[in-house]
Amino acid sequence: CQPNEWNIQGYDDASWPLLVNITGLVFEKLNETPVGLYSLTAQKHLDTSIPDVGTALVKRIYNLNLAFPHGTETTASIELVTKIEDYQVKAVLQPSLRGNDKAFVYYQHQYSTPQELGKYFDLGKILRARVDPFCDAQRVHCQSVISAISE
């Protein structure tokens, strides 16, 4: 818990039900705590068949002909933010610090609160309804990203 921010973290996809239940209980007890935004976020280091993910990403960017400078020891991070339905999706792809052949994927759905700021709403109930679609979307995203950069 930090000023204006509360996080809970798990280490694999199997953690989601427990994380959602704990979050629901915490915010049920702290119902006077104002919530302006909430999000579900996955951060993964994924194995690839690519010997150097950083170089592969740089080549993809250079192929877009966006006039980026060509130099030595170049790496890349790609970030996209888009609105889908009633939430914002942020997706980031970059080389992992865990090895040249690994990709780091950050995937987030960020939601506005369904009530006026400062009014109570059942965050646990809302998260329980959103977690399965989020998990499916991040799983598909991770598979699609690895497939795309492997081409």
Side-chain angles (χ1 to χ4, degrees), residues 25-86:
L25 289 171
V26 166
F27 281 88
E28 183 180 315
K29 298 290 183 194
L30 301 174
N31 64 9
E32 74 281 357
T33 302
V35 176
L37 297 169
Y38 64 97
S39 66
L40 298 167
T41 304
Q43 299 180 56
K44 297 184 175 198
H45 297 267
L46 303 173
D47 292 323
T48 74
S49 60
I50 303 164
D52 189 338
V53 170
T55 299
L57 292 178
V58 167
K59 285 180 182 176
R60 291 284 181 150
I61 290 172
Y62 283 157
N63 286 339
L64 295 173
N65 295 318
L66 296 174
F68 281 110
H70 291 252
T72 59
E73 298 183 35
T74 305
T75 191
S77 176
I78 300 170
E79 179 176 323
L80 179 77
V81 178
T82 188
K83 184 170 173 113
I84 299 177
E85 298 172 7
D86 64 337

Side-chain angles (χ1 to χ4, degrees), residues 1-6 23 25-37 113 115-123:
C1 190
Q2 300 174 356
N4 298 318
E5 188 173 323
W6 186 88
T23 301
L25 289 171
V26 166
F27 281 88
E28 183 180 315
K29 298 290 183 194
L30 301 174
N31 64 9
E32 74 281 357
T33 302
V35 176
L37 297 169
T113 58
Q115 299 280 338
E116 234 179 89
L117 188 61
K119 301 273 185 174
Y120 176 75
F121 63 97
D122 189 341
L123 184 58

Side-chain angles (χ1 to χ4, degrees), residues 128-145:
R128 282 188 281 284
R130 295 209 186 254
V131 71
D132 287 340
F134 168 80
C135 286
D136 291 343
Q138 63 90 19
R139 198 173 301 111
V140 167
H141 175 73
C142 288
Q143 291 167 350
S144 298
V145 160

